[in-house]
Amino acid sequence: MTLAPPHKAPAALPWVLVLTAVAALVVALDQLVVATALQTIHHDLGASMTSLEWTVNAFSLSFAALMIPGAELGDRIGRKRTYILGLVVFALASAACALAPNIGLLIVARVLQGAGGAMISPAALALLTAAAPPHKRGAVMGVYAAVMGLAVVGGPLVGGAVTQGLAWQWIFWINVPVIAAVIPFAMAKLTEAKGKPVAVDHLGILLVAASMFALVWALVRSGPAGWASGEVIGSLIGGLVLLAAFIAWERRAAEPMLPMRLFRVPAFAAGNLSTLLLTASLFSTVFFLAQYLQVSLGHSPLGAGVRFLPWTVPLFFVAPLAGRLQDRIGPRWLISSGLFLQGAGLVWLGVNAHQHDPYASSVAALVISGLGTSMAIPAQQSAVMTSVPPQAMGKAGGTFSTVRQLGGALGIAVLAAVFAAHGSDRSPEQFADGFAAAVITSAVLAFAGAAAGILTPGRTPSARRTPQRPAAPTAQEELGVR
């Protein structure tokens, strides 16, 4: 595959990093900025807890279901074109969110936002990975993860400040001028790159989108309808059948959308599994912690956002260091020890919530959890993206981003079911009880991710290479070109 036309030099790495990181920041920010605005949206639009859940999951669901098709689009029409198209869609959908007069239209607009994000993320990650030399990818991914960490740091805080100081609609309006400023630079500075031209895998796209929708629908509806309901059981079985059909089809398709052979690479498979579990734990905790701080502890939206900082600030500072360290020691222990710390901090937080302790008693728990998350995220990105050859980077980026979004949607759905079984939003005390059970479940997800991280290699192939001595083709590279 030719990553750039022969007559045009590849884009400079700093420009690629800045532009792709800004796009990642905008998309990631919109997943989390809504967290501290949920209670205000609840009062303004008369939304139920289930509807509030859908304002988050509608974004994650369309993001997850369309990520691999988005990567496929980038391979066909070009990753730069797909990246810019995604920015336009995201900006228009953000304006629609701000103008939504009721919860139903807000959810529809969030679906469109997710579709824009599904075009942006895999294209941005593939462009960045291709631009970074192998021996620098860990450090570059660390910077990229730190910028996404800025979204984690700023999301609840910005959401709370904007909601309290202006109106919740402005958490969506702010995307429009940012994207308008980015697009001209992207058009001028990025170099077009495509994957290998292949026939469109229409059936694969349909099967993966339908399976993701059915699985998340089953989990979201498990609380209101009950696990034993025909709706939930039918959706769950249908989703699993469609997922099995997708895997079977991809194994025999002449030009598969997602080559199943990629999952024979240990770093790719284990990196994606640990990512699924980390984001399931992380996003679901953000969703419930923002409401716990307001409903049970009585803080304002801005006050709740400020109280996220001990948990989220470490990601911005630690992730770049972890990325550079990953270049030397590989991803295994950073992923496993990081997720263990994330889980340990969440257990501590859950115990404090169960005892109805004040916020101050949980500051150390939030710091520990944030440190662990900061260690794991850049190592996961690097483990997945450096385990495949250049021609497979688009699909690898799409798969990684799909798994991350699916993890977020699944985590919120699972924790919502746990919350409903142990508490309610009828009183601060009942909300705290439900939150405690939910966050302990989130810790279990993190510990499972730590176990999955042990399966990643001790060092990635890129960590062993130097720019002066090109390495022989690895098994993964041979696998990708066969």
Side-chain angles (χ1 to χ4, degrees):
M1 179 190 71
T2 302
L3 291 179
H7 62 278
K8 187 174 182 180
L13 177 58
W15 272 111
V16 179
L17 178 57
V18 168
L19 291 170
T20 56
V22 168
L25 174 63
V26 170
V27 174
L29 193 65
D30 256 55
Q31 289 183 278
L32 299 172
V33 75
V34 73
T36 42
L38 288 173
Q39 286 301 306
T40 304
I41 295 173
H42 164 68
H43 293 299
D44 283 0
L45 300 184
S48 65
M49 177 64 77
T50 300
S51 296
L52 292 178
E53 189 180 341
W54 271 111
T55 62
V56 178
N57 275 345
F59 182 98
S60 296
L61 181 58
S62 64
F63 206 167
L66 297 174
M67 193 75 68
I68 295 177
E72 184 78 11
L73 181 65
D75 284 346
R76 292 188 62 80
I77 72 170
R79 292 161 188 165
K80 174 182 174 180
R81 291 187 184 91
T82 302
Y83 167 85
I84 293 172
L85 178 61
L87 287 174
V88 172
V89 172
F90 198 89
L92 293 175
S94 296
C97 288
L99 295 170
N102 56 59
I103 192 66
L105 291 178
L106 175 59
I107 291 171
V108 171
R110 290 284 282 171
V111 170
L112 296 177
Q113 269 194 315
M119 289 185 276
I120 295 169
S121 290
L125 194 55
L127 286 167
L128 179 59
T129 305
H135 64 286
K136 291 184 178 180
R137 281 182 188 150
V140 169
M141 290 301 173
V143 175
Y144 187 80
V147 174
M148 294 188 68
L150 183 61
V152 177
V153 173
L157 181 59
V158 169
V162 171
T163 298
Q164 189 169 324
L166 295 171
W168 64 263
Q169 289 87 347
W170 280 95
I171 65 177
F172 300 112
W173 279 125
I174 58 177
N175 295 329
V176 178
V178 173
I179 291 175
V182 167
I183 288 177
F185 286 99
M187 294 176 67
K189 298 295 184 179
L190 292 180
T191 301
E192 188 58 277
K194 296 183 180 181
K196 180 181 178 182
V198 296
V200 178
D201 184 7
H202 295 288
L203 182 57
I205 292 173
L206 178 62
L207 288 172
V208 73
S211 64
M212 295 302 101
F213 180 85
L215 289 172
V216 174
W217 180 270
L219 290 169
V220 169
R221 292 292 297 161
S222 63
W227 284 103
S229 68
E231 177 188 359
V232 171
I233 293 175
S235 297
L236 189 60
I237 293 175
L240 293 173
V241 169
L242 288 168
L243 182 60
F246 169 72
I247 293 171
W249 169 252
E250 295 300 288
R251 289 174 63 89
R252 63 185 293 269
E255 297 288 353
M257 180 179 66
L258 175 60
M260 289 293 111
R261 63 181 180 272
L262 291 177
F263 288 95
R264 289 159 49 193
V265 180
F268 184 86
N272 276 297
L273 178 58
S274 67
T275 296
L276 177 78
L277 293 164
L278 181 147
T279 53
S281 173
L282 176 64
F283 285 11
S284 57
T285 303
V286 170
F287 176 82
F288 280 101
L289 179 59
Q291 297 179 77
Y292 168 73
L293 290 170
Q294 294 176 70
V295 175
S296 294
L297 300 186
H299 298 294
S300 66
L302 176 58
V306 170
R307 285 165 177 79
F308 266 85
L309 293 179
W311 186 29
T312 55
V313 164
L315 185 58
F316 186 60
F317 293 102
V318 176
L321 299 176
R324 287 194 291 270
L325 184 61
Q326 189 275 148
D327 279 335
R328 301 180 61 184
I329 68 173
R332 178 187 297 158
W333 298 114
L334 286 172
I335 294 173
S336 294
S337 58
L339 276 161
F340 179 83
L341 288 176
Q342 178 178 324
L346 293 179
V347 168
W348 190 352
L349 177 62
V351 170
N352 288 345
H354 178 70
Q355 297 172 167
H356 303 286
D357 290 340
Y359 168 80
S361 64
S362 297
V363 171
L366 293 171
V367 171
I368 290 172
S369 186
L371 287 172
T373 305
S374 306
M375 294 166 60
I377 287 178
Q380 289 171 332
Q381 288 180 336
S382 185
V384 171
M385 295 304 295
T386 61
S387 66
V388 301
Q391 61 266 38
M393 284 180 182
K395 290 182 172 61
T399 303
F400 179 77
S401 298
T402 296
V403 165
R404 186 168 55 200
Q405 298 310 315
L406 181 60
L410 292 176
I412 291 173
V414 169
L415 262 65
V418 173
F419 175 88
H422 293 85
S424 73
D425 59 354
R426 288 191 291 270
S427 73
E429 293 76 16
Q430 289 177 316
F431 197 100
D433 291 339
F435 172 76
V439 80
I440 293 295
T441 304
S442 181
V444 172
L445 294 173
F447 290 140
I454 295 175
L455 302 176
T456 57
R459 298 181 71 189
T460 61
S462 62
R464 292 192 294 268
R465 300 178 190 176
T466 64
Q468 290 77 22
R469 292 184 61 192
T474 64
Q476 291 96 318
E477 290 169 334
E478 292 176 355
L479 186 64
V481 298
R482 286 177 183 170

